[in-house]
Amino acid sequence: MESARASTERTVPLTAARSRATFLKRLGRSKYLLILFLPCLVYYVLFKYLPMFGLVISFKDYNLFRGVWASNWVGLKYYRMFFESPDFLKLFRNTFLLGVYNVVFGFPMPVVLALCLNEVRQALFKRFVQTVSYVPHFISNVVVVGMVVMLLSPTTGVVAHFFKLLGWQPVNFLVQPEWFRPIYVIADIWQHAGWGSIIYLAALTAIDPQLYEAAEIDGASRWKQLWNVTIPGIMPAMVIMLLLNIGHIIDIGFEKVFLLMNPATYETADIFSTFVYRMGLTLGNYSYGTAVDLFTGVVSLIFICTANYVSRKVSDTSLW
Amino acid sequence: MRKSFTWALTAALTAAVVTGCSSKGGSTAAPSGPAPAPADKAAASPPKEHTFTFLTYSNASWPYNKDWPVWKYIKEKTGVTLNMQVPPDAQLDNALNLTVASGNMPDMLYTQSKKTADKFGQQGALVNILDYVNEMPNLKSWMTQFPTDTQNAMSADGKMYVFPNHGIGETNRMNWMYREDVFKKNGLKPPANWDELYTVLKQLKQAYPNSYPMAWRQGLQYLRNFSPAFATGSDDGSSDVYFDFDKKEWRYGPIEDNFKKLITYLNKFYKEGLIPPDFLTIDTKQWQDLMSTDRAFVTVDYISRVDFYNLPMRKQNPQYNLLFMPTPAGWPGGPQKNAYTQFLENGIMVTSTSKQIKDIMHFMDFYYSKDGLNLVSWGKQGETYSEENGKKKFIGGYATYPTCAKRPASRRTARIRGSTTIPTCRYLRPSCRTPTSKR
Amino acid sequence: MVRTRLRRKWTLPRLLIALFLLAVTAATVYPFLYMISVSLSGDVYVIKNEISLLPKGVNFRAYEVVLQDARIWTSYRNTILYVGIGAPLSLLVTAAGAYSLSKKEMAFNKTFTLMIVFTMFFNGGMIPTFLVVKSLGLVDSFWSMIVPSAISTWNLIIMRTFFLGLPKELEESGKLDGLTEIGIFARIVLPLSTASLATIGLFYAVGIWNNFYSALLYLRNDQLYPLQVVLRNIVMASQMVLNGGSNVGDNQVLDEPLKYATIIVSTVPMLLVYPFLQKYFVKGALIGSVKG
């Protein structure tokens, strides 16, 4: 609204001068705030916006020694190269599927955990479970993947050990492409489910107890209460979290995939960001890597906007 | 190739040593200053101090240690301090790519393949060493002495992006080995071919259900070691073409029927638990664990591994006896051949962005001198070796390098290495008991 | 109150819930117990895979070897420095920025807010960012672990939401005393916000402690490596531990105990400190959840 008014004002020449004056005054009045904001601004300009302009090298034949401006324009060469390469579909599929599995299996877990915790009345037990289940969230990806690799080793890992006890053949999980996604998703749930439940627990405590009492008076069973009171109560939180998760489908974490993958599992493990790292940084194809970067960015923007739009239509909850 | 050759060999070794042993940690020594390098007397005035940055790698079996005495000796002789970047060996290629691609290069780089040198060289990242050959009297005379080795280091366009070496791969001879004591205890004899190998492994697995009777490290690389016995060939993963000396032609191993026979055997081994289920990813340490804890009894590796295992293992188990085993033929009466693994392309490269190119050239030239050779091969007189009647001998903790007594006579060259380079390695890094290993 | 009465019954669903939660707890704790046990166990038992819960043949050799490794110490020191310098710096910049953004009267407030929020949905990507960091001369420097990831937009927004909730009267009293906004921020707002600052500071600290990405992209010099890189090199790239890591025979320490010991050594500080800081973390997560 404000901006609309401002633009109407600007169309009137007489008021333009006045608005400039008030603007300068406002600037002067907020100079200390602006000073406080300055480091932040510098950071965002340097490390967030400058790179966006750097995306221009994806349309050039970037040569490190010549610099951005002296490099030749090549138009869409690298995009064409990417879309036509066999890597494209594979990367898209891998990134997308990994992200989707992560949401499909990773999203419900914190909700379930929170609902269960909510049923627990022994405060001490509840606190204990919470404390323990939050811990993995603070453990680095390097440690988590290191643990996964060690525990899944078919010769010495504890999983192989249990397999043997059960009379099964040990499986070499880490070099089998079909196991990559399950391993990744399970590790992710292990890491973040506990922490993710915090938000729902908070939402649960915010539900008005009178709603439950009313339901009880109406003779609703615990199960019915769950569906008619509890779930609707945490629905907004769920929608927001789901949106955020969907927004990250394409933008799935680089670190863990990078650490967990190996050439034997590229077939299912290689995603956009690991590809960019390999192609762009380790092989020095900066322009090509950047083209993939930009493509990833655009797709993930589309994802989040769509998710947000759909959600606003369907449930009245949205990120913006 | 015998005595008169020693000097030359040494010269070559220097490079070898520089690359092979020191690369692990890095380093080397250098003459600095104008041109004092060659002669033994050069040390008259203290050399000018330089610091070079150097990207090399840290070998899993002898991780880089900045406290190795070699750094001190090098500094004394040449005034050079090497500032090392040492990624794990498996990541050297990656690190090289990243470094060169970023344009932020150290003064010197180490490579394990000449292909890399030529690639970066042609991109303009490396110095053509030939441009500076006049600064390097020792290298110059070395080159006239070893034209073939010089040729080996050149790129297709007649430039040289990596310092040449001679004999660096000598420590890299590989052979089959087996646990003689375990075989004897179970009444087994070394298999003559892969069918017998299968039977033997099967029996071992029965006797030791917890074991994977045959194990090697680093996955598919070792197909190269197995394939000659099947009259085919394979490289260590970088390419699978090999030269068939009988037919005088290049051939591609993996599409040959004999190659399939090999793979079929391995598949059977894998299915029956005769090789570890994670054989593709077993690293050096895991393999060492298997071999030293009676969980693997047959292996293929560098020849000096017999001593690497036998010497320490016998202290706790006097019976422990790892011996060389004749190569099992692919089929009865088939070839009993081992791979030729003793040629390595490892070498040091100088980056074009370095501000001290000439100083580095002088430094590197030192290693083609008798003095430099001696330094990296033997260390320091009185500290690491003593000399009597012109014969050098390691002293103190540096002397325990394997005698090569058990090696077959045909391993003559290996012996020479045993008495020169390997100790060098040992001297460079006191905890090391193995020769250079690739990757 | 009706509900409490009903719930006191120990019904089957509640039993299942309790079991489920116990399983979750076990799944979280077990890997650590297992790693600790193996790292403390004697070789014989490790080889035979006999460790499943408690250590057997307890010894500390793996830890001796790991703790003798200079790389562990160097990287520990580096990580502590990165956290010690980076977290306060990030916190300060974030708090100052968030405070300004919480003031509607600041010129360009809307523009700035939009500009910041936009980066949550779109960014320049890995390579352009790398090139910027490189052209600033930060590659392979101490600051590359701190500056390029100095501000987390998420944390900035959390802080801003928090500042928005502060009572206006406090600041007005500051203005009456003749303080500028900077003065108010430093003398009044910050002291009042210690709990939130602690929370955000902790998030930053954990982020820097666990940061592997920046090191992978920007660091080549092993003297600057943080713990995470060394950890990865030892555990996943099989770069052995020094001083006996590659021995066989008498001094041999097996691969698994060594690697587990390395993991434990690098994780224990976090695990020890965590219970005491938990309430701050939880608080942070909750501020974030309040839609602002």
Side-chain angles (χ1 to χ4, degrees), chain B residues 134-263:
Chain B
N134 287 331
E135 305 273 339
M136 295 184 279
N138 295 312
L139 176 61
K140 210 169 171 180
S141 58
W142 186 93
M143 281 164 57
T144 49
Q145 199 145 11
F146 299 105
T148 318
D149 296 297
T150 306
Q151 195 63 38
N152 281 344
M154 307 263 274
S155 66
D157 56 357
K159 291 178 179 158
M160 184 188 279
Y161 297 114
V162 57
F163 279 100
N165 79 72
H166 179 105
I168 177 180
E170 281 301 329
T171 49
N172 277 30
R173 285 170 189 274
M174 301 175 101
N175 200 1
W176 286 74
M177 293 162 226
Y178 75 116
R179 278 286 297 280
E180 191 266 346
D181 54 326
V182 173
F183 271 56
K184 195 152 65 183
K185 204 164 123 196
N186 292 282
L188 302 170
K189 61 180 201 338
N193 55 57
W194 279 63
D195 269 337
E196 290 183 29
L197 178 64
Y198 170 71
T199 324
V200 163
L201 295 179
K202 206 68 190 157
Q203 282 162 320
L204 285 168
K205 177 86 184 178
Q206 250 153 31
Y208 307 88
N210 247 332
S211 73
Y212 302 102
M214 178 167 157
W216 66 91
R217 57 197 174 122
Q218 296 159 335
L220 293 179
Q221 250 187 67
Y222 279 58
L223 287 184
R224 168 184 62 168
N225 298 67
F226 304 143
S227 49
F230 288 84
T232 177
S234 155
D235 195 13
D236 54 351
S238 50
S239 80
D240 291 303
V241 289
Y242 69 100
F243 192 71
D244 186 330
F245 283 93
D246 299 330
K247 294 186 182 146
K248 301 245 179 310
E249 63 180 14
W250 287 95
R251 301 175 65 92
Y252 184 72
I255 52 166
E256 300 185 336
D257 287 343
N258 284 335
F259 205 90
K260 193 174 174 188
K261 285 182 194 149
L262 163 62
I263 301 295

Side-chain angles (χ1 to χ4, degrees), chain A residues 122-285:
Chain A
Q122 294 84 347
L124 208 67
F125 178 61
K126 186 174 169 182
R127 274 247 305 281
F128 173 71
V129 175
Q130 281 179 281
T131 307
V132 168
S133 65
Y134 297 165
V135 171
H137 181 76
F138 297 98
I139 294 187
S140 72
N141 286 325
V142 177
V143 170
V144 171
V145 175
M147 280 165 54
V148 168
V149 169
M150 298 288 295
L151 299 177
L152 290 184
S153 153
T155 40
T156 55
V158 70
V159 174
H161 175 46
F162 283 125
F163 271 34
K164 258 184 215 157
L165 289 183
L166 293 170
W168 300 344
Q169 278 290 315
V171 178
N172 196 1
F173 294 99
L174 295 163
V175 296
Q176 306 205 4
E178 63 271 26
W179 277 104
F180 182 83
R181 287 178 197 131
I183 291 172
Y184 180 91
V185 171
I186 292 170
D188 208 73
I189 292 176
W190 184 83
Q191 236 179 323
H192 301 300
W195 184 249
S197 69
I198 290 184
I199 271 179
Y200 302 113
L201 282 172
L204 282 167
T205 54
I207 298 177
D208 187 351
Q210 287 181 359
L211 288 175
Y212 287 106
E213 282 168 31
E216 220 142 273
I217 290 163
D218 289 346
S221 68
R222 297 284 307 142
W223 189 247
K224 280 243 167 78
Q225 287 179 33
L226 175 72
W227 282 108
N228 296 323
V229 182
T230 314
I231 301 275
I234 59 172
M235 194 47 107
M238 282 168 65
V239 172
I240 292 279
M241 292 318 288
L242 190 61
L243 283 181
L244 285 175
N245 283 342
I246 290 173
H248 285 291
I249 280 185
I250 292 297
D251 184 24
I252 202 158
F254 165 85
E255 267 188 20
K256 210 156 73 194
V257 177
F258 174 79
L259 289 164
L260 197 55
M261 76 193 311
N262 57 57
T265 51
Y266 277 175
E267 187 190 328
T268 54
D270 205 12
I271 58 171
F272 288 131
S273 54
T274 51
F275 182 77
V276 168
Y277 175 76
R278 225 173 42 246
M279 257 315 142
L281 283 184
T282 65
L283 296 180
N285 302 320

Side-chain angles (χ1 to χ4, degrees), chain B residues 61 91 102 283 285 289 292-293, chain C residues 47 134 237-238 245 252-253 255:
Chain B
S61 296
Q91 287 165 29
S102 77
D283 62 41
K285 170 69 175 157
D289 283 356
S292 58
T293 53
Chain C
I47 290 168
K134 183 174 126 45
S238 305
Q252 182 170 10
V253 181
D255 190 49

Side-chain angles (χ1 to χ4, degrees), chain C residues 219-275:
Chain C
L219 292 183
R220 310 279 171 264
N221 181 350
D222 66 332
Q223 290 304 305
L224 292 174
Y225 280 169
L227 194 54
Q228 302 301 328
V229 171
V230 169
L231 192 61
R232 184 248 187 164
N233 287 349
I234 291 176
V235 177
M236 274 165 279
S238 305
Q239 189 176 57
M240 258 177 265
V241 182
L242 282 185
N243 304 323
S246 60
N247 284 352
V248 296
D250 284 344
N251 298 320
Q252 182 170 10
V253 181
L254 294 177
D255 190 49
E256 304 93 75
L258 267 186
K259 287 179 175 172
Y260 286 136
T262 313
I263 292 180
I264 296 295
V265 163
S266 61
T267 322
V268 150
M270 185 64 83
L271 295 181
L272 288 184
V273 172
Y274 166 77

Side-chain angles (χ1 to χ4, degrees), chain A residues 38-145:
Chain A
L38 190 66
C40 207
L41 181 68
V42 170
Y43 173 82
Y44 275 91
V45 168
L46 279 184
F47 295 103
K48 301 285 173 184
Y49 282 86
L50 215 53
M52 288 187 207
F53 292 106
L55 287 169
V56 73
I57 66 170
S58 65
F59 303 101
K60 290 185 154 211
D61 241 335
Y62 180 66
N63 181 316
L64 203 74
F65 300 99
R66 289 169 91 187
V68 176
W69 301 117
S71 302
N72 299 325
W73 288 99
V74 293
L76 295 176
K77 172 178 158 192
Y78 288 107
Y79 292 90
R80 215 169 292 137
M81 197 161 136
F82 180 52
F83 296 136
E84 284 168 8
S85 82
D87 292 323
F88 172 68
L89 270 183
K90 185 187 80 182
L91 292 172
F92 200 99
R93 189 193 63 212
N94 289 349
T95 312
F96 183 75
L97 281 183
L98 196 61
V100 168
Y101 287 165
N102 214 21
V103 171
V104 170
F105 297 102
F107 172 73
M109 196 53 193
V111 181
V112 173
L113 197 59
L115 291 176
C116 287
L117 280 168
N118 195 44
E119 295 298 315
V120 174
R121 281 292 158 262
Q122 294 84 347
L124 208 67
F125 178 61
K126 186 174 169 182
R127 274 247 305 281
F128 173 71
V129 175
Q130 281 179 281
T131 307
V132 168
S133 65
Y134 297 165
V135 171
H137 181 76
F138 297 98
I139 294 187
S140 72
N141 286 325
V142 177
V143 170
V144 171
V145 175

